[in-house]
Amino acid sequence: MEPITRRSPVVFDRPVKNKHIRDNWEIVLEYDNEGPGPHLVDLSHRSRWDIQDNQLDGYRPFQISIPQAPGQCMFKGGLLINRMNRTQASIWHLAGDTPDVPADPAYTDTTDGTVFLALFGKNGFAIAQKLSALDFLEPSSRAPFLLQGPFAHVPCQIVVMEKTAESAGILLTCSRGYARDMVHAILDAGRQFGLLPAGEAAFSNWIEKL
Amino acid sequence: MNRLDGLPTCRIDSSRKIEFSWQNRRFTGVAGDTVATALYAGGVRIFSRSLKYHRPRGLYSLDGESSNTCVGIDGIPNVSAENTVLKEGMQVRAQNVMGTPRLDLMGFLDKLDWAMPAGFYYRTMHRPAAVWPIALKQVRKMAGLGKISPDFQMPGRFDEIYPTADVCVIGGGPAGLSAALAAAGTGLRVIVMESRPWLGGFFDFRVCEYRPGLPLYERAAELAAQVEKAANIQVFKNTAMVGAYSNNLITAFQKGEADDPFDERYIEVRAKSVVVATGCMERPLLFENNERPGVMQAACAHRLAHTYGLVAGQKAVFSIGHDLGIEAAIDLFDLGLEVSCVADIRKEGQDRELVEKLAERGIDFLPGWTAVDCSGKTVKSARLCNLDTYVQEQFECDLLVASAGMTPVTGPLCLAQAKMAYDAHTGYFLPRQLPARVHACGRLLGLNDAAAIEVSGQVAGYSATLDCGVSVEEGLRQAREKLDSLAGPAKGCDLVMAPVKGRKAFICFDEDTTVKNIKQTLAMGFDATELIKRFSAAGTGPAQGAIPGHNLALFVARYHGRSSAITQPTTVRDPLVPVHIATYAGAYHDMCKRTPMHDAQKTAGGIMQRIGVWKRARYFSSDTACTAEIENVRNNVGMLDATTLGKFRIWGPDAVKALQRVYISDMSKIREGRIKYSAMCNEDGCIIDDGVVVKRGENDYYFTTSTARAGQTVEWFRYHSRYDNWDFNMVNLTDAYGVINLAGPNARKVLEKLTEADITNSAFAYGGFCEFKIKNTIPVRAMRLGFVGELSFELHVPSSYMQSLWAMLEEAGRPFNIQPFGLEAQNVLRMEKGHLIIGSESEQRTTLNDVGLSFLWDRSKSKAGTVGAVALMHTEKQEGRLKLVGFKMDNAQRAPRDGSIVVDQNVCGHVCIARYSTTLKEVIGMALVKDHLAGEGAQLDIYEDECNGQLMHAHVVKMPFYDVKGERLSM
């Protein structure tokens, strides 16, 4: 009987250079010839939770305060908390060891509900504006900030992590079922800018610098 | 034709030759040419034949203002040669030609104009009635330009882009560029759209001075350089604005240049403020044969020379109504064109300096004269007429430069819902009331003075900046003061038509509508311009009324003897310029959802089909009756991917109240370890969804919905509890959990091999719910359901584990010959069991009672507090309702198509589903029929498409058809 594995909905058609198994997930750390960027990285194996409660401000998930206003984000200790609305926030694990699943009923594990992608590097926003009318460069918004709306016509949660003249970085989640078409749409839009898939190591290096 | 080399305004590179073909003959153009200019340089004067009369048509403008130069390029019809940059190897063909462009066999139609008055197809050929179907075919065969095969595949690379901006400037002329610089100077993000391949507008090709020592074209280059240098201005050249929608949504399309990764792309901008700076075009002069090849607008002749290095003819006559026409005559004379005379409609008001320059060059100047006719297939001579004395004079020429005056390009403003009004001073339709956050500037306000045009752009730019919340009041005040000190709008020419009868004076080139046609329309009582447009077809062609636009309204006003002030141009609609459908489609990423088992099912032979947002396995063989799949489930064990079911978590102190509100059953009595099947109705009592609910903890529930309703369910709960302030939370887990329906008499034997949990019938009975782990790793939420009428386990598993579980079940089930089954097999299996699918066996009017699910309705619940309960009560005994019945066909081999209608003297219902039942060896089905046909034993007469009156017959029977006692579910 084949070993039990957890599979990401994303498969990049690239030769894998380095991979490993973590919590039953087979994770690609590096692909051959990833190039200088921009890069698209599959983070679907990274844990994600929804936290929802009428008294949301009373919660401090993983000892981090939830931002007050919808659209605001907090990135601390490898965890990103995104305030979605009055009663709801999403929590994305980006770096470090995977934390335990919170026991409180306010939390719902949504790791398997969405595909989780990172798009970063030069021309990242030029790629994004081919797929979405969302305003990634809104001058009054300081990274990280959350946008909720269509990307490639699919409802998404998008966090702008980096917004500089040289480099852009966004994290994106949408319904898991759209994974294949979403990746295809992003890679197609990014072809003219040299967008290539990259492994988790490229993401970790980038997020570490932020 | 030799090009004028060395002109500083030229946009061509004569050293780079480009080969193309015209009518299968080789031609050579140069880099920077459009198809139209390359053809013109190659001596082509007739580009196409007109729609109705097959009259020869040639170059008249350079911005695609009429269909004159619509040609076929590389198999694509109706491409404007004026707007298409020449590319190597293009194959260009004339349109609407039988023979050659010069000798068109259908050209005789021009002599039959008397037989084709305005709206002739509405009034002739209708009697006797038998004639019309024949005539209709001929009219349709003759009508339309260009031919394309229905299976034509559009070649090219298409893309889309959604840039964001604070200010969107439409028009890259001096006013638009000034507006962009003013707004960008405050730090705002600005987008500039320009339809030509370069910025500069009407400064770009003119050599007269902006200020001493600085010609206009150099000023244009200065402004363009500043704009292109600004980091916060995004410039889209080759970009035509095509639509304006609410809240400043601007759409456009851009043609790609050689190094662009697209041929065309769709652009959509949501801007906080919009500036329209689209300038002016020339208003055509109406005279006999005013559309002959060799007649062209002044700016066309002017730009041909200065931009493309082409002198449009040998010997020219100018008949114009504005100073730019005189300027063009002087310029072109200096470039080698022989100018016989310049006739100016205006008797006075010309720029004296320009008139003196004409005299210096010995060019006759005829104020108060206009062209009235020209002769030749291409222009050989022009006849001019004095507007006071009607004295006429003939001039030999091969070029007649003609225009009545200028008119603003108001299309974008009109789309933005600006209110326009005629201005007697300028003779323009000017914006009198602009919508919020829309501004106009430049020549379209009637300004002619170069400095005033730029400053008006600054005013618009600052006004747009204010819209974005940036304080620039002082800058705006100063710009307004400066504008007030500069020259205002100049007096315009108000002549619409030369003194001619108008039999061959064309007001609309695209639709071959003459002045005479308009008079015929008026004589028939159509007095409103919009009605005249529809009856005469003027302005309904591909150029969207660019040529007839303002002339039609002005002519109608004059004809009625009314003031032009009360007239309005006809409505402008998007797209403003023709756009390929392929461009609107853009990159066309067909976004659909796939389940985690998509690839596994394909490998197993699954035929995947798009059903709603999902791709699902419909069949697993070429047998669309799915006999093997069905038999395997009935006799053995099968696996169905049911991942697409909606799945939700609802929890919180008031979760039960919310469930009670939307479900029709009593949801307060859900026991742990048991599933609750129920349905949701809308306010009319019509069934909209069904599914199961399980309790997983205190005030914590997990429930499923149908695939189709998954997207709306959270909103449905929130909407129906919006006034209650209840404390409950919901998360959509549809994609988080995959579902496998393991069904068949051997299902338990398969599952037992993978889990240590007790799944015997006593421990986990039909209707039960339990949670366990597969191989101590994969968490499963398992339900004992029986949608397909067999022992079934519905296994809900985190999506990332689904491929592993699918493979494990395949392996564990191999001794039992486990096989996947698809949607069609499920459809037959559940039909045999009499289970319905909402949407298949229900429709918009069908209540819970109508489909036989009234047992789900708990009447003890508060009716007002349960969505749909009040309506259910009122309709419960209502007569004449459609009822769901089961039926068996009299002919056991032939199933009617789904959707076939049930008839007596009237339509009495329809077949929802009918299939040959492999299990029962007969054709069974379900139908919604009027209640008088719903009794057991009633005969149903079924009318199928193309049955030629041969009705099919069936009889109503009790459901379920299979396993009446339900023993197989409880195994």
Side-chain angles (χ1 to χ4, degrees):
Chain A
M1 195 163 277
E2 73 163 47
I4 294 173
T5 54
R6 300 183 75 175
R7 288 192 176 89
S8 164
V10 176
V11 179
F12 291 127
D13 188 18
R14 303 278 296 179
V16 174
K17 191 172 179 183
N18 194 4
K19 64 179 179 180
H20 81 154
I21 304 286
R22 189 193 310 152
D23 302 332
N24 289 336
W25 291 93
E26 189 176 281
I27 299 157
V28 176
L29 297 177
E30 191 180 358
Y31 290 93
D32 275 347
N33 303 319
E34 290 183 344
H39 287 137
L40 181 66
V41 177
D42 173 28
L43 299 172
S44 299
H45 56 280
R46 290 275 177 185
S47 297
R48 300 178 296 287
W49 296 274
D50 175 277
I51 177 168
Q52 203 175 150
D53 195 275
N54 219 1
Q55 305 296 323
L56 190 63
D57 293 336
Y59 284 82
R60 293 193 78 231
F62 307 104
Q63 311 307 314
I64 303 168
S65 297
I66 297 172
Q68 290 286 311
Q72 289 180 339
C73 300
M74 172 66 73
F75 181 45
K76 197 174 174 186
L79 286 158
L80 180 69
I81 302 182
N82 316 306
R83 183 70 180 242
M84 295 161 63
N85 52 48
R86 187 182 64 80
T87 62
Q88 203 173 6
S90 56
I91 306 168
W92 300 348
H93 172 237
L94 303 182
D97 295 336
T98 307
D100 292 334
V101 180
D104 193 289
Y107 296 86
T108 307
D109 189 333
T110 55
T111 309
D112 276 353
T114 56
V115 56
F116 187 21
L117 300 166
L119 168 65
F120 56 92
K122 197 178 171 193
N123 289 318
F125 291 129
I127 297 166
Q129 75 171 1
K130 290 179 70 177
L131 296 163
S132 176
L134 294 172
D135 195 351
F136 303 97
L137 292 163
E138 168 60 52
S140 61
S141 302
R142 281 187 59 197
F145 62 92
L146 171 73
L147 296 167
Q148 298 178 86
F151 194 88
H153 308 290
V154 170
C156 289
Q157 278 189 38
I158 301 166
V159 174
V160 176
M161 292 293 290
E162 187 182 21
K163 194 177 71 162
T164 63
E166 299 78 36
S167 187
I170 63 171
L171 305 176
L172 172 154
T173 66
C174 70
S175 290
R176 188 185 210 271
Y178 285 115
R180 191 172 300 186
D181 286 339
M182 179 59 75
V183 164
H184 178 265
I186 296 172
L187 288 175
D188 188 42
R191 188 169 297 127
Q192 72 182 94
F193 303 103
L195 176 69
L196 287 174
E200 194 192 45
F203 171 77
S204 299
N205 290 338
W206 171 69
I207 205 80
E208 210 168 83
K209 288 178 197 157
L210 292 182
Chain B
M1 185 180 274
N2 290 330
R3 301 293 181 112
L4 298 167
D5 276 329
L7 291 181
T9 52
C10 258
R11 296 284 182 176
I12 54 163
D13 179 357
S14 306
S15 64
R16 287 171 52 206
K17 306 293 182 199
I18 295 177
E19 301 277 329
F20 69 106
S21 75
W22 163 251
Q23 300 292 91
N24 295 328
R25 284 171 47 216
R26 277 183 64 185
F27 274 67
T28 305
V30 298
D33 262 332
T34 64
V35 172
T37 58
L39 286 171
Y40 203 87
V44 174
R45 294 294 176 267
I46 302 174
F47 285 63
S48 66
R49 288 282 175 156
S50 68
L51 175 74
K52 199 158 68 171
Y53 302 130
H54 278 249
R55 286 170 66 88
R57 291 285 165 80
L59 195 62
Y60 184 78
S61 63
L62 282 179
D63 287 321
E65 287 155 10
S66 70
S67 62
N68 275 16
T69 55
C70 278
V71 292
I73 297 182
D74 297 335
I76 303 166
N78 295 319
V79 181
S80 170
E82 296 168 28
N83 300 116
T84 305
V85 175
L86 187 68
K87 289 180 186 165
E88 189 71 37
M90 274 180 164
Q91 295 182 6
V92 187
R93 293 197 65 83
Q95 260 185 199
N96 214 33
V97 165
M98 189 181 284
T100 66
R102 186 160 277 278
L103 188 62
D104 178 24
L105 299 179
M106 300 297 285
F108 71 92
L109 287 171
D110 193 24
K111 309 280 186 209
L112 300 179
D113 60 315
W114 54 269
M116 291 181 271
F120 71 97
Y121 37 83
Y122 296 129
R123 296 185 292 138
T124 57
M125 302 177 283
H126 289 272
R127 284 183 191 156
V131 173
W132 177 239
I134 301 162
L136 176 73
K137 281 185 185 164
Q138 297 310 312
V139 170
R140 284 192 174 160
K141 206 184 285 179
M142 302 280 286
L145 290 175
K147 285 191 168 53
I148 199 161
S149 162
D151 56 0
F152 177 76
Q153 292 263 332
M154 187 73 181
R157 300 158 302 162
F158 298 92
D159 209 345
E160 59 198 89
I161 186 170
Y162 304 87
T164 44
D166 298 305
V167 179
C168 179
V169 179
I170 301 161
L177 297 179
S178 301
L181 288 168
T186 65
L188 294 179
R189 294 170 297 163
V190 179
I191 280 175
V192 176
M193 293 178 177
E194 168 55 47
S195 58
R196 291 179 188 158
W198 48 79
L199 300 174
F202 95 128
F203 278 13
D204 176 73
F205 60 95
R206 293 171 65 198
V207 292
C208 59
E209 289 186 328
Y210 173 76
R211 62 170 179 260
L214 183 69
L216 283 173
Y217 71 86
E218 283 189 8
R219 176 59 184 163
E222 272 183 11
L223 287 170
Q226 286 176 46
V227 163
E228 295 192 286
K229 212 170 82 181
N232 53 341
I233 302 179
Q234 205 172 354
V235 178
F236 291 94
K237 298 174 200 168
N238 291 304
T239 300
M241 181 267 200
V242 290
Y245 307 94
S246 58
N247 206 15
N248 281 344
L249 180 72
I250 304 297
T251 60
F253 81 99
Q254 183 178 27
K255 296 195 173 191
E257 294 187 342
D259 51 353
D260 283 323
F262 57 86
D263 293 310
E264 285 190 10
R265 72 173 169 185
Y266 171 74
I267 300 176
E268 195 175 289
V269 179
R270 177 81 68 182
K272 290 179 187 151
S273 191
V274 172
V275 174
V276 179
T278 41
C280 286
M281 57 180 276
E282 284 173 84
R283 188 160 56 77
L285 179 62
L286 302 179
F287 58 95
E288 301 292 358
N289 300 306
N290 58 333
E291 34 63 275
R292 280 283 181 223
V295 177
M296 68 173 63
Q297 294 182 333
C300 177
H302 206 176
R303 284 177 56 204
L304 263 183
H306 276 284
T307 307
Y308 299 101
L310 287 167
V311 177
Q314 301 287 324
K315 190 174 183 181
V317 167
F318 279 67
S319 175
I320 45 83
H322 50 89
D323 285 347
L324 288 171
I326 305 175
E327 183 186 316
I330 294 164
D331 259 8
L332 293 172
F333 178 87
D334 291 347
L335 292 173
L337 177 69
E338 188 182 336
V339 179
S340 297
C341 64
V342 174
D344 194 332
I345 297 160
R346 301 168 297 175
K347 289 176 192 151
E348 54 192 22
Q350 298 86 358
D351 183 333
R352 293 179 62 83
E353 207 175 310
L354 290 172
V355 175
E356 282 167 14
K357 284 183 178 174
L358 286 175
E360 284 167 15
R361 288 160 177 78
I363 301 170
D364 283 342
F365 180 59
L366 308 172
W369 285 66
T370 182
V372 288
D373 200 357
C374 64
S375 64
K377 190 173 273 182
T378 58
V379 170
K380 301 289 182 214
S381 68
R383 197 145 44 87
L384 305 183
C385 173
N386 185 296
L387 289 166
D388 284 334
T389 63
Y390 300 112
V391 170
Q392 296 195 355
E393 204 170 321
Q394 185 103 356
F395 292 85
E396 299 297 313
C397 62
D398 63 350
L399 176 67
L400 174 55
V401 177
S403 80
M406 306 304 290
T407 197
V409 178
T410 53
L413 282 178
C414 293
L415 288 183
Q417 305 299 313
K419 300 274 179 271
M420 312 300 289
Y422 184 75
D423 176 70
H425 175 68
T426 55
Y428 290 1
F429 288 96
L430 295 177
R432 283 291 174 246
Q433 196 184 332
L434 287 168
R437 299 185 289 122
V438 175
H439 308 275
C441 60
R443 283 207 299 160
L444 69 75
L445 297 179
L447 298 171
N448 268 345
D449 177 71
I453 288 168
E454 285 185 21
V455 177
S456 78
Q458 290 166 10
V459 170
Y462 285 133
S463 302
T465 304
L466 272 180
D467 292 340
C468 301
V470 178
S471 179
V472 283
E473 286 84 354
E474 182 55 25
L476 178 60
R477 189 189 60 76
Q478 288 176 10
R480 279 189 175 139
E481 277 179 8
K482 192 173 176 189
L483 182 61
D484 290 342
S485 70
L486 295 167
K491 172 97 177 100
C493 167
D494 63 355
L495 183 121
V496 178
M497 193 174 83
V500 294
K501 289 184 176 171
R503 180 179 169 188
K504 298 289 182 185
F506 285 82
I507 200 163
C508 176
F509 296 178
D510 293 1
E511 297 293 318
D512 262 354
T513 311
T514 61
V515 168
K516 184 182 172 188
N517 292 149
I518 302 300
K519 288 178 179 171
Q520 287 164 343
T521 307
L522 287 158
M524 293 177 72
F526 293 95
D527 55 352
T529 321
E530 291 286 0
L531 294 176
I532 293 164
K533 171 183 170 178
R534 274 150 191 81
F535 193 73
S536 68
T540 60
Q544 264 266 20
I547 293 285
H550 294 176
N551 262 348
L552 179 63
L554 294 173
F555 177 81
V556 170
R558 300 284 161 85
Y559 183 89
H560 286 306
R562 297 177 193 151
S563 161
S564 301
I566 60 160
T567 193
Q568 281 286 330
T570 54
T571 306
V572 176
R573 293 181 175 83
D574 54 335
L576 273 183
V577 292
V579 192
H580 294 132
I581 297 291
T583 309
Y584 273 116
Y588 186 58
H589 299 117
D590 180 21
M591 307 301 287
C592 68
K593 294 172 91 169
R594 290 174 179 81
T595 73
M597 278 85 80
H598 181 89
D599 291 336
Q601 291 182 97
K602 274 187 85 169
T603 305
I607 296 165
M608 313 305 284
Q609 289 184 355
R610 174 85 180 251
I611 298 169
V613 295
W614 292 93
K615 279 208 166 164
R616 305 185 70 180
R618 185 81 187 263
Y619 316 100
F620 279 89
S621 73
S622 55
D623 172 22
T624 55
C626 305
T627 308
E629 291 172 52
I630 292 165
E631 285 178 348
N632 197 50
V633 175
R634 287 276 179 252
N635 303 318
N636 193 17
V637 59
M639 284 194 295
L640 173 84
D641 177 7
T643 298
T644 62
L645 285 172
K647 296 172 279 292
F648 297 86
R649 181 188 174 203
I650 181 168
W651 78 99
D654 297 320
V656 174
K657 289 180 185 168
L659 291 168
Q660 287 280 54
R661 173 63 53 83
V662 300
Y663 279 105
I664 207 71
S665 311
D666 183 357
M667 309 307 282
S668 66
K669 294 175 183 163
I670 302 173
R671 286 184 290 142
E672 288 192 35
R674 299 293 297 168
I675 56 175
K676 175 81 177 173
Y677 172 69
S678 188
M680 297 184 205
C681 295
N682 64 15
E683 294 87 336
D684 300 328
C686 297
I687 186 164
I688 56 164
D689 198 12
D690 67 343
V692 296
V693 185
V694 297
K695 187 173 184 179
R696 297 190 63 240
E698 187 62 27
N699 294 323
D700 201 342
Y701 299 85
Y702 175 73
F703 67 92
T704 66
T705 68
S706 61
T707 301
R709 287 287 299 179
Q712 298 105 297
T713 297
V714 171
E715 193 180 340
W716 187 256
F717 271 74
R718 294 290 179 201
Y719 177 78
H720 286 290
S721 58
R722 62 195 182 282
Y723 300 122
D724 298 298
N725 199 26
W726 287 339
D727 184 3
F728 70 95
N729 308 292
M730 289 185 79
V731 175
N732 186 341
L733 296 171
T734 299
D735 287 59
Y737 284 87
V739 177
I740 296 173
N741 185 8
L742 184 69
N746 289 324
R748 184 178 288 111
K749 291 177 189 165
V750 176
L751 190 57
E752 275 172 347
K753 293 170 79 174
L754 299 177
T755 181
E756 291 170 2
D758 184 358
I759 56 167
T760 58
N761 198 36
S762 53
F764 188 20
Y766 177 64
F769 168 74
C770 69
E771 300 191 37
F772 54 82
K773 285 196 171 175
I774 299 278
K775 294 289 180 190
N776 292 318
T777 305
I778 304 175
V780 176
R781 297 177 183 181
M783 299 177 189
R784 276 289 308 275
L785 293 167
F787 190 52
V788 296
E790 298 293 341
L791 166 67
S792 300
F793 296 91
E794 198 172 279
L795 308 173
H796 294 228
V797 181
S799 294
S800 59
Y801 279 120
M802 283 302 285
Q803 282 154 287
S804 282
L805 179 61
W806 184 268
M808 292 161 80
L809 287 169
E810 273 184 333
E811 194 173 330
R814 197 163 292 137
F816 308 100
N817 192 31
I818 192 170
Q819 296 292 334
F821 64 102
L823 284 182
E824 180 56 25
Q826 178 195 240
N827 215 13
V828 179
L829 290 161
R830 64 91 191 173
M831 178 192 69
E832 289 172 346
K833 184 61 186 167
H835 287 158
L836 62 104
I837 292 177
I838 309 300
S840 172
E841 281 74 58
S842 66
E843 42 107 296
Q844 211 169 14
R845 300 166 293 175
T846 319
T847 67
L848 185 82
N849 298 325
D850 296 338
V851 294
L853 294 179
S854 53
F855 66 91
L856 294 174
W857 177 22
D858 187 311
R859 289 153 201 264
S860 65
K861 278 174 68 181
S862 155
K863 289 181 182 56
T866 306
V867 179
V870 174
L872 281 178
M873 189 177 66
H874 286 303
T875 56
E876 191 175 12
K877 293 190 174 133
Q878 192 178 34
E879 290 182 0
R881 298 197 63 79
L882 293 173
K883 298 289 179 189
L884 185 68
V885 296
F887 65 82
K888 288 187 177 180
M889 294 299 293
D890 293 356
N891 177 347
Q893 300 301 316
R894 168 84 162 81
R897 287 184 209 131
D898 295 352
S900 298
I901 54 174
V902 178
V903 295
D904 52 14
Q905 297 306 307
N906 300 299
V907 174
C908 296
H910 66 271
V911 173
C912 303
I913 180 173
R915 297 285 188 277
Y916 176 75
S917 164
T918 306
T919 314
L920 305 173
K921 311 294 181 208
E922 58 188 331
V923 174
I924 57 173
M926 292 188 232
L928 278 167
V929 294
K930 289 208 171 150
D931 49 7
H932 71 274
L933 290 176
E936 194 178 343
Q939 178 172 314
L940 304 182
D941 299 326
I942 298 169
Y943 181 96
E944 197 181 46
D945 265 359
E946 299 163 1
C947 68
N948 292 324
Q950 296 294 310
L951 299 181
M952 302 169 80
H953 304 290
H955 283 85
V956 173
V957 296
K958 262 190 175 173
M959 289 195 286
F961 303 99
Y962 173 74
D963 186 25
V964 177
K965 293 181 181 169
E967 290 164 345
R968 298 185 71 85
L969 303 177
S970 315
M971 290 166 72

